[in-house]
Amino acid sequence: MAKEFDVIVIGGGHAGAEAAWAASRMGAQTLMITLDPSKIGAMSCNPAIGGLAKGQMVREIDALGGLMGLATDATGIQFRMLNRSKGPAVWGPRAQCDKHRYAAEVQRLLSTCSNLRILRGEVAEIETAPSVDGGAWVESTAADTPRSAVSGVLLVDGTRLRCRAVVVTTGTFLRALMHTGETRTEGGRVGEAAAKGLSDCLRRLGLQLGRLKTGTPPRLHRDSIDFSRFETQPGDDPPTPFSFLNEYATGLEGPAATFCDRASFSHSSAAVWRPPLPQLICWLGRTNPQVHEIIRANLHRAPMYSGQITSTGPRYCPSIEDKVVRFADKPAHQVFLEPEGLDVPEIYVNGVSTSLPADVQEQLIRLIPGLENARILRYGYAVEYDMVWPTQIRPTLQTKQVQGLFLAGQINGTSGYEEAAGQGLVAGINATLYAAHGPKDPAEFVLGRDQAYIGVLIDDLVTKPPTEPYRMFTSRAEHRLHLRSDNADQRLTPLGRRLGLVDASRWQAFESRQGSIDSAIRWLKSVRVEGMGAYDWLRREGNDWQALLQRALTAGLSPPALSPQTARLVEIIVRYDAYIRRQNEQIERFARLENKLIPPGLDYSAVIGLRNEARQKLATFTPRSLGQALRISGITPADVTLISIHLARRSSASGMGGRD
């Protein structure tokens, strides 16, 4: 194997897979180093992808040319669109996957990357050399001043590998410790070792580390459950795919006459995407006061309450112990039974994440109606792990202290496969750009809050460092009407094409559908139906595309034929036109501040009139732009105005040949 690469990715989870995929497809010679290549793409917790806001991120990953949507569509065993009772801005696609097939599909997709090599091993050291910028940075004391640059990695077996950029995606494995009651075991996942040496290496590089906690519920044997005591939850029929490639493939665009007649127009002739695997149902049940009493009686044996765990867990995916304590007045909490695959007996008990001792887990599970005879195949546990405070990374996910070092996933304080994958894709893209261009002529890929949920996620991390594992919600996005799951390709596929992640066939399919949308909008604005413009008719509550076409055909008009997916998009565009235009105006106002970049290494002590608190926070967070500065807690519009005036004076002095 070669000993020199453009990009080395450490870790093979969801962040690592996307980072390696992106770097390789963009042409970088890429190496993934992982403790166990057979675990690449493993679903450590619930084998589900998507959900509210998370589903939007997966669609964005796919629109940019990532792999998570493709792997999900190939291995999903139940697809559901959540929040359908509300507007399309908050619809969230979700899929339950076959956990073994999902990991196998991720590994298969990575095997198609000609520039990617995968190595079993453990990194002991990330090696560096003096900063590429040299003496120009020596005099600066700013937090965003790099002191060194990545030169390679050293493995625990002594192997030394050279590279220009490193992406660290270690998930929950950094000095990981698992807890089940009083029992503690080293490891980031059941049966897998922790990564011990890398934490000390990151500290030596100048990074400040923290400690977080997450958890997982017990798994039950399918045959030991009385499912008749639970409410069934079937998937959608027909389902909505995650990958736009599958959506494009089912579309039948063109003249309506090709598949309908004037007497009876319907979409029945249009192809509908069908998942390749059989579809299963899930089940809904509830805990009860007896379950809660058992938990309360044993809180002293729960690691989070005994003092055995001192790190912070996720507020929005709490353990059953947390729920019983925090919501003491609730007589019941929901329990979802979700299959982990087609050929395995494991049932995931969603809603009962716990680190209570095994004997207590046995008692509380069997008090849930329908689980009286349940057999636990794996006990729930909590895992503590090291992370890096994300105030130390840029919006590109490159560390401020070390050039060419990128961090993605749970190491940055997030939770969830989707958040990790989104970061992995961005880190892989930027690591490749860095390796190709170097720091002196940087080419950066940064998504704005108005462009993607991924942009919201990363901006939140670098301006509002999490005190607990970060989870994405639609409420975090101020432009969520614009950031819908259905239009992620319109927002991001042109960017993916420019980066080289979107291939010719996907681009052609995207342009074809976009052409159909544009053509449909033009047609709507050019014809009248029932005495009014077709565009205005479609905007009315209760009207839809199919009803409009029936009237148009009856009137002797020749409407364009659209696939159901494209017709739905046209309906949304028309119905929300006024709201979207209003939000676009807001985005343009924000863009003025976002486009005013703050030079790296800016000396905030030289900004006249700036408060000491503002100086300290700005020096710590080192915002990329005035807009990002304004989003830092404690920074006021007055502070940003002073910075803007200072930058204008600098620019004026520079133009006159003066010095700052």
Side-chain angles (χ1 to χ4, degrees), residues 133-423:
D133 295 284
W137 294 94
V138 172
E139 311 232 344
S140 175
T141 58
D144 61 350
T145 300
R147 301 297 176 185
S148 58
V150 163
S151 61
V153 301
L154 178 68
L155 305 187
V156 292
D157 65 3
T159 302
R160 180 169 274 109
L161 302 166
R162 313 299 292 175
C163 65
R164 304 191 69 183
V166 167
V167 183
V168 181
T169 68
T170 46
T172 61
F173 281 79
L174 281 184
R175 286 200 316 123
L177 190 62
M178 295 181 292
H179 301 258
T180 301
E182 299 87 350
T183 303
R184 289 182 281 191
T185 309
E186 287 188 350
R189 197 160 47 211
V190 168
E192 297 181 54
K196 297 180 181 178
L198 200 53
S199 289
D200 290 336
C201 168
L202 294 172
R203 286 194 182 92
R204 286 192 294 272
L205 292 174
L207 295 168
Q208 295 180 344
L209 273 61
R211 197 120 172 111
L212 291 177
K213 166 252 176 188
T214 189
T216 191
R219 271 66 159 181
L220 309 181
H221 197 292
R222 178 192 299 271
D223 295 342
S224 66
I225 299 171
D226 181 2
F227 290 107
S228 67
R229 305 286 298 279
F230 291 84
E231 178 185 336
T232 60
Q233 284 198 312
D236 292 343
D237 187 20
T240 301
F242 271 93
S243 177
F244 284 96
L245 279 178
N246 287 321
E247 197 168 284
Y248 299 150
T250 59
L252 293 177
E253 318 289 13
T258 60
F259 66 95
C260 71
D261 58 49
R262 296 189 177 190
S264 60
F265 179 91
S266 77
H267 288 305
S268 60
S269 302
V272 173
W273 177 75
R274 293 292 179 187
L277 296 182
Q279 298 298 286
L280 305 182
I281 61 172
C282 298
W283 300 267
L284 171 63
R286 287 170 179 79
T287 61
N288 53 50
Q290 291 76 27
V291 172
H292 300 179
E293 186 54 41
I294 287 289
I295 293 170
R296 290 191 190 97
N298 288 277
L299 281 176
H300 64 286
R301 301 179 65 194
M304 284 291 290
Y305 290 88
S306 68
Q308 184 174 309
I309 293 177
T310 57
S311 51
T312 307
R315 180 187 312 181
Y316 300 107
C317 187
S319 66
I320 188 65
E321 302 96 281
D322 284 342
K323 285 192 277 192
V324 167
V325 171
R326 285 165 50 190
F327 309 105
D329 58 327
K330 277 199 158 190
H333 294 284
Q334 289 185 324
V335 176
F336 298 90
L337 301 184
E338 298 170 331
E340 293 202 337
L342 297 175
D343 310 316
V344 295
E346 287 95 345
I347 297 294
Y348 183 93
V349 191
N350 196 344
V352 191
S353 176
T354 183
S355 57
L356 283 162
D359 62 293
V360 180
Q361 292 188 40
E362 294 276 3
Q363 294 178 64
L364 73 89
I365 285 293
R366 291 188 179 127
L367 285 171
I368 297 172
L371 302 183
E372 292 85 354
N373 300 308
R375 180 152 55 96
I376 298 179
L377 297 175
R378 181 193 298 173
Y379 294 106
Y381 62 91
V383 57
E384 285 187 287
Y385 56 93
D386 283 348
M387 49 79 71
V388 174
W389 296 112
T391 52
Q392 302 165 97
I393 59 174
R394 306 177 189 276
T396 60
L397 299 184
Q398 182 177 201
T399 61
K400 297 172 182 177
Q401 292 87 339
V402 183
Q403 293 171 333
L405 177 60
F406 297 79
L407 310 179
Q410 287 180 275
I411 192 172
N412 287 335
T414 61
S415 66
Y417 308 143
E418 304 83 0
E419 288 91 340
Q423 292 174 74

Side-chain angles (χ1 to χ4, degrees), residues 494-657:
L495 295 179
R497 179 63 172 166
R498 288 199 290 272
L499 289 165
L501 282 171
V502 170
D503 59 24
S505 59
R506 180 189 281 258
W507 181 246
Q508 184 178 8
F510 165 75
E511 285 195 309
S512 174
R513 184 165 80 167
Q514 194 57 42
S516 296
I517 293 171
D518 294 342
S519 176
I521 297 295
R522 286 195 300 270
W523 179 79
L524 286 169
K525 291 181 176 180
S526 68
V527 301
R528 297 178 67 79
V529 172
E530 296 183 346
M532 66 186 307
Y535 192 92
D536 292 329
W537 190 93
L538 187 58
R539 187 183 291 174
R540 286 187 167 184
E541 188 70 30
N543 293 345
D544 60 22
W545 179 260
Q546 185 168 336
L548 172 64
L549 294 190
Q550 290 172 339
R551 286 161 175 76
L553 290 167
T554 300
L557 301 173
S558 298
L562 305 177
S563 69
Q565 298 91 340
T566 306
R568 182 195 64 196
L569 261 175
V570 170
E571 290 172 4
I572 292 171
I573 291 169
V574 172
R575 195 158 294 146
Y576 292 92
D577 179 39
Y579 300 102
I580 292 171
R581 278 192 280 111
R582 194 176 307 146
Q583 193 158 94
N584 286 339
E585 291 170 3
Q586 184 186 48
I587 289 169
E588 288 176 12
R589 287 196 300 272
F590 279 119
R592 298 187 193 111
L593 285 176
E594 296 299 331
N595 293 334
K596 291 184 178 179
L597 301 182
I598 299 174
L602 180 68
D603 183 4
Y604 289 102
S605 66
V607 180
I608 298 171
L610 197 60
R611 298 172 302 121
N612 285 334
E613 179 191 356
R615 286 195 178 101
Q616 292 168 3
K617 288 199 170 186
L618 292 164
T620 299
F621 286 88
T622 62
R624 181 175 184 268
S625 67
L626 293 182
Q628 195 172 81
L630 190 57
R631 290 191 293 275
I632 296 171
S633 176
I635 300 301
T636 68
D639 297 326
V640 172
T641 299
L642 291 172
I643 300 167
S644 180
I645 292 169
H646 177 78
L647 294 177
R649 287 173 176 166
R650 266 177 47 127
S651 177
S652 177
S654 175
M656 296 170 61

